[in-house]
Amino acid sequence: MGNYFQEEIECASQEQIRAWQNERLVKQVKYVYDNVPYYRTRMQNKGLEPGDIKSIEDLHKLPFLTKDDLRDAYPYGLLARPLSDCVRIQSTSGTTGRRVVAFYTQHDIDLWDECCARAIVAAGGSNEDVVHVCYGYGLFTGGPGLNGGSHKVGSLTLPMSSGNTDRQIQFMTDLGSTILCCTPSYAAYLAESIHEQGVRDKIKLKAGIFGAEAWTEEMRHDIEEALGIKAYDIYGLTEISGPGVSFECSEQTGMHINEDHFIAEIIDPATGEVLPEGEKGELVFTCITKEAFPLLRYRTRDICVLSRKKCSCGRTHVKMTKPLGRSDDMLIVKGVNVFPSQIETVLINQGFAANYQIIVSRQKNNDNIEVQVELTPAMAADDSFNKELATKKLVAGLKSMLGILAEVTLVEPKSITRSEGKAVRVVDKRNLYQG
């Protein structure tokens, strides 16, 4: 299965996994209580001390953390180590310009590399492979995560980053890339470009590790057929570490969670009640080995199901399904987190009212986002109002806020259907979530 398959860890008994988690959780709770005043206050407000947590059976007693907490504590409020011990930050986009920043010690980087190495080996990778990484680098976790995992495995690593498709294909053919790491939508675009250039017979890819956005089984099969590969899913969040929190194996029936580093729970998103295995609910993670940014009971807002059904690959770590939806209003478009509130901020800053609708579609496996924006009555009545110029300014403002290009269509006042309840801000036509 490769030279980095950690059988003693990845195929450990349930008893051993539970023992690791119990020991590490108890230590981590005390560590966070002693070093993170923000979380210590949250525990004290619930009447909790570290000694109250004796095993994972007590995990439900701890308070949740949410993305709002991360924003409130920005930038250093959840940091558990001195800045002098930290060697890197990674970041997500923020809903109103305020970003979530995650910190890493060298130990954290090493563990993250290990998790991504497991994903590469589960996809059939070894030190004989050429791993072609065209996730984005920089603050985005995709590129750095798979880059580090590839180094850990000992593979030849091509740190291509995203874009420049002609160069991607040239290196892919010249250097014999065997494992492709990118978003599924970009993999589909690469496949299309490879066929257009007539170089399919020169491509040596055998596997792809695709994440950062939702994708259907139909899309998986299309990519596999077009590139002649097996396509594997990978999952992660910047707040938890990045890609590699979980990953698919050859069975392709869910993603194994690295349980020696992360404890997963499924909760009722409305009540916070912990649900039994097999029930669909919101995924919650607790980090039990991280040093700089160790989140406890972090609500991901992703809806999924956990299963310990025996896996043909031999791994015993619990599996999570692909996310089946969200418990908040976040969209993932072209690998980027998009919140309606981000779009609303741009509109209001440019003098528009918060009457808009976001329409997301997928054409030839490429995401497209259109924002329909109502003119205000004053704009509609003003003969000097320049729609073309206003549209260009909105497109530029949204590009700056979201990091991706969105189409903008200005529509007449009161032409977007009103709702008596919560406004229907998003129309997602991609049919991404199944189950």
Side-chain angles (χ1 to χ4, degrees):
M1 296 184 72
N3 66 346
Y4 201 80
F5 178 50
Q6 298 175 303
E7 185 170 3
E8 73 282 4
I9 296 175
E10 296 183 75
C11 300
S13 68
Q14 293 302 311
E15 292 76 16
Q16 182 61 69
I17 293 171
R18 179 61 63 92
W20 287 333
Q21 291 185 334
N22 285 338
E23 179 184 356
R24 292 174 180 180
L25 175 64
V26 170
K27 290 181 179 178
Q28 191 77 319
V29 169
K30 186 177 188 310
Y31 172 72
V32 171
Y33 188 91
D34 290 343
N35 292 283
V36 184
Y38 186 97
Y39 200 76
R40 180 167 64 247
T41 300
R42 296 289 304 278
M43 286 181 64
Q44 290 172 343
N45 289 342
K46 293 194 70 173
L48 287 174
E49 295 184 356
D52 296 322
I53 309 301
K54 298 178 173 62
S55 73
I56 62 173
E57 299 299 327
D58 298 319
L59 185 59
H60 70 279
K61 299 177 183 178
L62 292 171
F64 292 114
L65 280 177
T66 68
K67 188 160 284 188
D68 285 340
D69 290 307
L70 271 61
R71 295 188 191 104
D72 290 344
Y74 174 90
Y76 300 129
L78 288 168
L79 187 61
R81 294 293 287 267
L83 277 178
S84 58
D85 291 346
C86 299
V87 298
R88 189 191 300 176
I89 64 164
Q90 305 285 165
S91 177
T92 66
S93 60
T95 59
T96 56
R98 174 168 285 192
R99 296 177 176 270
V100 170
V101 178
F103 298 82
Y104 301 74
T105 65
Q106 185 58 54
H107 173 74
D108 294 333
I109 296 292
D110 293 341
L111 294 185
W112 183 21
D113 290 349
E114 179 179 294
C115 290
C116 288
R118 294 178 187 177
I120 291 170
V121 171
S126 73
N127 58 2
E128 300 294 326
D129 281 288
V130 179
V131 177
H132 189 111
V133 183
C134 43
Y135 285 111
Y137 281 67
L139 289 172
F140 179 59
T141 56
L146 272 301
N147 193 96
S150 178
H151 284 188
K152 183 76 78 171
V153 174
S155 306
L156 177 62
T157 308
L158 302 185
M160 300 297 298
S161 194
S162 56
N164 202 332
T165 300
D166 288 343
R167 185 176 63 184
Q168 301 276 3
I169 295 173
Q170 179 187 346
F171 272 76
M172 202 176 290
T173 56
D174 292 349
L175 297 175
S177 304
T178 56
I179 297 178
L180 175 64
C181 303
C182 62
T183 62
S185 56
Y186 190 58
Y189 181 72
L190 277 171
E192 184 178 307
S193 300
I194 286 167
H195 282 269
E196 287 176 353
Q197 293 184 22
V199 294
R200 174 66 183 82
D201 60 335
K202 297 181 181 179
I203 298 297
K204 297 180 180 179
L205 292 174
K206 67 178 186 181
I209 300 175
F210 307 135
E213 63 188 19
W215 49 311
T216 62
E217 285 302 305
E218 289 79 11
M219 188 174 183
R220 183 209 296 268
H221 296 149
D222 287 347
I223 292 171
E224 288 182 331
E225 183 176 352
L227 290 175
I229 64 173
K230 194 161 185 174
Y232 297 83
D233 209 345
I234 189 169
Y235 175 89
L237 306 93
T238 299
E239 304 94 305
I240 301 300
S241 70
V245 172
S246 66
F247 56 86
E248 271 190 325
C249 63
S250 56
E251 195 173 90
Q252 294 178 301
T253 56
M255 292 171 278
H256 290 283
I257 295 171
N258 283 308
E259 288 193 278
D260 50 325
H261 300 301
F262 312 104
I263 299 174
E265 302 171 273
I266 295 292
I267 65 167
D268 182 318
T271 67
E273 176 190 1
V274 179
L275 300 177
E277 179 188 329
E279 292 289 316
K280 182 167 71 173
E282 182 182 337
L283 182 62
V284 174
F285 277 119
T286 293
C287 305
I288 52 175
T289 55
K290 288 188 67 176
E291 292 181 338
F293 205 68
L295 302 187
L296 305 181
R297 302 201 82 200
Y298 181 70
R299 296 185 62 164
T300 68
R301 300 299 181 181
D302 285 324
I303 302 297
C304 72
V305 177
L306 298 181
S307 172
R308 291 195 180 276
K309 182 180 178 181
K310 185 176 181 180
C311 186
S312 61
C313 77
R315 291 174 177 84
T316 53
H317 289 192
V318 69
K319 280 183 178 179
M320 58 175 279
T321 61
K322 284 175 174 285
L324 305 172
R326 295 280 302 177
S327 65
D328 62 8
D329 59 358
M330 188 184 84
L331 286 164
I332 301 178
V333 183
K334 299 180 181 178
V336 175
N337 295 349
V338 176
F339 288 86
S341 54
Q342 291 175 295
I343 291 171
E344 194 168 302
T345 298
V346 174
L347 300 186
I348 292 172
N349 286 344
Q350 295 196 20
F352 291 83
N355 297 317
Y356 62 95
Q357 193 162 68
I358 306 162
I359 300 172
V360 186
S361 58
R362 176 161 281 171
Q363 300 174 356
K364 294 184 179 181
N365 291 323
N366 289 317
D367 288 345
N368 180 70
I369 181 169
E370 177 192 4
V371 183
Q372 295 185 352
V373 183
E374 281 189 7
L375 295 168
T376 66
M379 292 172 178
D382 185 355
D383 292 337
S384 66
F385 181 76
N386 189 323
K387 285 188 178 181
E388 182 178 356
L389 179 60
T391 300
K392 287 182 178 179
K393 288 180 65 178
L394 282 173
V395 168
L398 291 172
K399 178 68 163 60
S400 178
M401 173 66 82
L402 304 177
I404 57 175
L405 188 65
E407 297 179 13
V408 172
T409 303
L410 296 182
V411 299
E412 292 302 306
K414 298 184 179 181
S415 60
I416 294 176
T417 303
R418 302 305 199 256
S419 171
E420 293 182 359
K422 184 177 180 180
V424 180
R425 294 296 190 203
V426 177
V427 178
D428 194 337
K429 298 180 178 180
R430 295 173 296 176
N431 190 29
L432 294 173
Y433 301 118
Q434 302 168 334

